[in-house]
């Protein structure tokens, strides 16, 4: 693998320490000074190809109102360079092994259009304030399988180990509540596909402005999620409900499914880990969703350091309602003409499967954007330590929240030479962050209504 840039020899020493180690007030004082409020390096890189962070996007473009597809604020940006098979060797140091593999599998069609880097990630001030407040207090418990003394903010803005970094991804701010009408597609090797329609709702209890660490610990809930399949007709009515917990040893994830054939709500304890994702044709696991979700307990986590890397960022063109699915979905991979790649700094976290546990992924390597804590690329290895899948999150700033989140996630299966694109919303209504949701919307009874409506 490429050389990683470790931030200091002191960090290397800390990596061997207990997962319960906390940062000092002096370290926390760096937040908002030489570090951004969420812990990224505020300064640009040496050659200026990564600029300094200046607050990200703080206002929506003129004419935008909540509920619209987000117009591209950088529509006039020109392509700086295109990476393809002819010049791949010159750019491998800025790509993951999985990204390089995609060039090798699809040499005639796969490419990356590289654009100017724009550090657009931004969040509400109360998230910044909460991050600084909990930075010296948050603790991992139960061997890293739970968290206490944290609410609203990023719990470990200066991570000291891999578990802390992945918990930052799990708890990153994505608004308080959202609904989405969209779908997914898993094209065959020849390119044929069926759109699977979804109606999804989520409440982030952790991110509510009034959330407290004490209340979250007592209730033991991070978020509630509900998903209903709306199309095609043969799958319509199938529904899923998930209650994700703060301490998954005390109370593991609670999940229920509604089956249209039985017309019953049933508990679904297997909706976790490497169980196949909903209607995924076996192309992603349950814990692939959102690039990684759920309990981290089956892996040993190592913080490898930071590096510069090309990731899919500010993908407003990909997100546009002017793009038709037929234009976007190609055999092997999505149409590269719609993707914007930028150079950013990423944390590199490796997850190695523990002895005496099982998962289809023997190793996972996550590349996490320093500005947002969003996993942007995941290289997924089988139990022979060979690349199995490569996942890419296409991110943008949702102005009205504000937050940086993916507009589309694409999971490439290298063996079948197929992929699944999750979060398609070009021809549908996309995220609605102004939706009013309550706990009553996330009960088994509400799940039954979702399935029978």
């Amino acid at each position: 693998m490429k050389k990683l840039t470790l931030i200091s020899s002191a960090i290397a020493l800390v990596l061997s320490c207990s997962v319960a180690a906390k940062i000092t007030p002096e370290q926390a004082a760096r937040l908002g000074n030489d570090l951004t409020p969420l812990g990224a390096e505020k300064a640009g890189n040496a050659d200026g190809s990564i600029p300094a962070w200046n607050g990200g996007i703080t206002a929506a473009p003129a004419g935008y109102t909540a509920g619209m597809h987000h117009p591209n604020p950088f529509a006039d940006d020109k392509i700086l360079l295109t990476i393809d098979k002819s010049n791949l060797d010159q750019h491998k140091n800025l790509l993951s092994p999985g990204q390089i593999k995609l060039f090798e599998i699809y040499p005639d069609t796969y490419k990356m259009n590289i654009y100017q880097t724009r550090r657009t990630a931004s969040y509400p001030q109360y998230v910044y304030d909460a991050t600084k407040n909990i930075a010296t207090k948050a603790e991992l418990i139960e061997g890293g399988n739970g968290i206490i003394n944290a609410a609203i903010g990023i719990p470990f803005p200066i991570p000291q180990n891999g578990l802390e970094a992945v918990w930052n991804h799990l708890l990153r701010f994505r608004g308080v509540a959202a609904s989405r009408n969209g779908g997914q597609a898993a094209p065959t090797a020849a390119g044929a596909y069926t759109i699977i329609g979804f109606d999804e709702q989520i409440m982030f209890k952790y991110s509510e402005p009034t959330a407290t660490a004490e209340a979250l610990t007592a209730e033991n809930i991070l978020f509630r999620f509900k998903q209903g399949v709306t199309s095609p007709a043969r799958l319509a009515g199938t529904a899923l409900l998930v209650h994700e917990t703060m301490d998954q040893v005390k109370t593991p994830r609670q999940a229920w499914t509604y089956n249209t054939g039985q017309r019953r709500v049933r508990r679904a304890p297997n909706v976790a880990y490497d169980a196949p994702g909903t209607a995924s044709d076996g192309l992603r696991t349950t814990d692939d969703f959102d690039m990684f979700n759920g309990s981290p307990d089956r892996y040993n986590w190592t913080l490898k350091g930071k590096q510069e890397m090309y990731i899919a960022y500010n993908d407003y063109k990909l997100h546009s309602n002017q793009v038709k699915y037929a234009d976007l979905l190609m055999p092997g991979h999505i149409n590269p003409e719609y993707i914007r790649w930028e150079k950013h700094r990423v944390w590199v976290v490796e997850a190695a499967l523990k002895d005496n546990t099982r998962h289809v992924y023997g190793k996972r390597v996550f590349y996490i954007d320093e500005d947002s804590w969003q996993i942007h690329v995941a290289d997924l290895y089988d139990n022979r330590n060979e690349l199995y899948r490569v996942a890419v999150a296409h991110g943008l700033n949702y102005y009205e929240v504000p937050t940086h989140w993916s507009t589309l996630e694409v999971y490439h299966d290298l063996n079948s030479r197929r992929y699944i694109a999750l979060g398609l919303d070009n021809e549908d209504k996309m995220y609605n962050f102004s939706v009013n949701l309550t706990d009553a919307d996330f009960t088994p009874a509400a799940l039954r209504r979702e399935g029978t409506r």
Side-chain angles (χ1 to χ4, degrees):
M1 288 186 63
K2 61 187 70 62
K3 185 186 299 182
L4 299 174
T5 303
L6 295 178
I7 52 179
S8 71
S9 58
I11 286 287
L13 176 63
V14 171
L15 295 182
S16 63
C17 299
S18 162
V19 297
K22 301 177 186 178
I23 65 172
T24 65
E26 291 74 21
Q27 289 174 305
R30 297 177 61 194
L31 300 174
N33 290 302
D34 65 304
L35 300 180
T36 72
L38 299 191
E41 297 174 55
K42 185 179 288 186
N45 64 353
D47 66 9
S49 56
I50 297 176
W53 182 82
N54 61 6
I57 292 180
T58 57
Y64 173 79
T65 57
M68 292 173 57
H69 277 75
H70 299 72
N72 185 356
F74 313 119
D76 294 334
D77 283 2
K78 305 301 182 184
I79 297 172
L80 299 180
L81 67 98
T82 296
I83 304 173
D84 58 23
K85 64 180 180 181
S86 69
N87 61 356
L88 174 62
D89 287 345
Q90 302 172 34
H91 303 283
K92 284 184 175 179
N93 63 315
L94 294 171
L95 301 172
S96 78
Q99 290 175 313
I100 293 170
K101 193 70 174 179
L102 293 174
F103 282 95
E104 296 173 358
I105 293 177
Y106 308 108
D108 297 325
T109 58
Y110 193 75
K111 65 180 181 180
M112 288 182 172
N113 290 328
I114 310 300
Y115 290 80
Q116 175 183 349
T117 298
R118 296 186 180 273
R119 295 177 68 180
T120 51
S122 62
Y123 300 89
Q125 184 62 44
Y126 82 91
V127 175
Y128 296 149
D129 294 341
T131 297
K132 195 158 191 173
N133 180 51
I134 66 175
T136 59
K137 304 173 184 176
E139 291 185 70
L140 294 179
I141 58 172
E142 306 289 358
N145 202 39
I147 188 168
I148 58 173
N149 302 330
I152 303 169
I154 295 297
F156 309 109
I158 305 175
Q160 301 177 48
N161 52 62
L163 266 171
E164 290 186 350
V166 80
W167 270 100
N168 287 346
H169 166 79
L170 293 171
L171 298 179
R172 71 197 191 282
F173 182 80
R174 288 156 283 175
V176 174
S179 65
R180 176 172 69 173
N181 300 99
Q184 69 183 27
T188 65
Y193 62 86
T194 298
I195 300 294
I196 308 295
F198 290 117
D199 182 358
E200 298 173 332
Q201 298 174 325
I202 190 165
M203 280 183 66
F204 296 104
K205 302 294 289 185
Y206 180 86
S207 299
E208 292 177 347
T210 57
T212 65
E214 295 76 16
L216 288 168
T217 298
E219 189 179 10
N220 200 23
I221 288 290
L222 285 178
F223 64 78
R224 294 185 170 97
F225 172 77
K226 186 172 62 178
Q227 178 189 74
V229 180
T230 58
S231 64
R234 61 184 172 83
L235 298 176
T238 303
L240 170 68
L241 173 67
V242 173
H243 291 180
E244 194 76 311
T245 57
M246 292 276 288
D247 180 347
Q248 298 197 11
V249 171
K250 178 181 178 181
T251 307
R253 166 185 287 176
Q254 305 294 292
W256 298 261
T257 57
Y258 177 80
N259 183 287
T260 54
Q262 298 175 336
R263 301 184 68 80
R264 292 182 60 186
V265 173
R266 291 181 175 272
R267 281 195 173 269
N270 293 328
V271 177
Y273 301 111
D274 57 357
T278 303
S280 66
D281 215 7
L283 294 174
R284 71 166 179 87
T285 64
T286 294
D287 61 7
D288 275 331
F289 186 82
D290 198 29
M291 302 299 283
F292 179 76
N293 73 90
S295 173
D297 67 327
R298 293 194 180 182
Y299 291 92
N300 292 313
W301 299 83
T302 303
L303 185 63
K304 307 293 285 188
K306 258 188 193 177
Q307 69 178 64
E308 296 178 2
M309 183 176 176
Y310 290 128
I311 57 178
Y313 220 90
N314 293 311
D315 255 331
Y316 293 96
K317 184 177 180 180
L318 178 75
H319 168 79
S320 171
N321 60 349
Q322 302 302 308
V323 176
K324 301 300 182 184
Y325 297 146
D327 298 324
L328 185 62
L329 300 169
M330 295 173 49
H333 54 81
I334 62 176
N335 191 333
E337 297 296 347
Y338 294 100
I339 304 173
R340 178 185 178 115
W341 298 91
E342 299 180 0
K343 184 194 293 184
H344 288 259
R345 286 185 293 245
V346 296
W347 288 101
V348 183
V349 177
E350 180 177 297
L353 189 64
K354 292 178 178 178
D355 293 337
N356 303 317
T357 59
R358 61 164 303 279
H359 198 288
V360 295
Y361 302 142
K363 183 175 75 174
R364 309 163 90 143
V365 183
F366 296 114
Y367 300 87
I368 307 175
D369 171 39
E370 68 169 343
D371 288 332
S372 64
W373 295 102
Q374 164 79 53
I375 295 173
H376 263 275
V377 175
D379 285 352
L380 308 167
Y381 294 78
D382 62 22
N383 287 286
R384 301 169 298 174
N385 201 35
E386 295 182 1
L387 271 168
Y388 177 15
R389 291 173 178 159
V390 183
V392 176
H394 298 263
L396 54 79
N397 184 298
Y398 291 89
Y399 319 123
E400 69 273 36
V401 184
T403 187
H404 176 93
W405 198 1
S406 60
T407 180
L408 187 71
E409 296 169 9
V410 183
Y411 306 86
H412 299 268
D413 188 290
L414 303 179
N415 296 328
S416 67
R417 302 202 172 191
R418 296 181 61 197
Y419 67 95
I420 184 167
L422 176 61
L424 294 166
D425 60 12
N426 306 78
E427 299 179 15
D428 297 274
K429 294 180 180 178
M430 31 66 68
Y431 282 120
N432 176 8
F433 293 96
S434 301
V435 63
N436 292 317
L437 298 172
T438 68
D439 292 347
D441 294 308
F442 297 89
T443 65
L447 183 69
R448 180 178 176 83
R449 290 195 298 272
E450 182 75 34
T452 56
R453 67 180 183 176

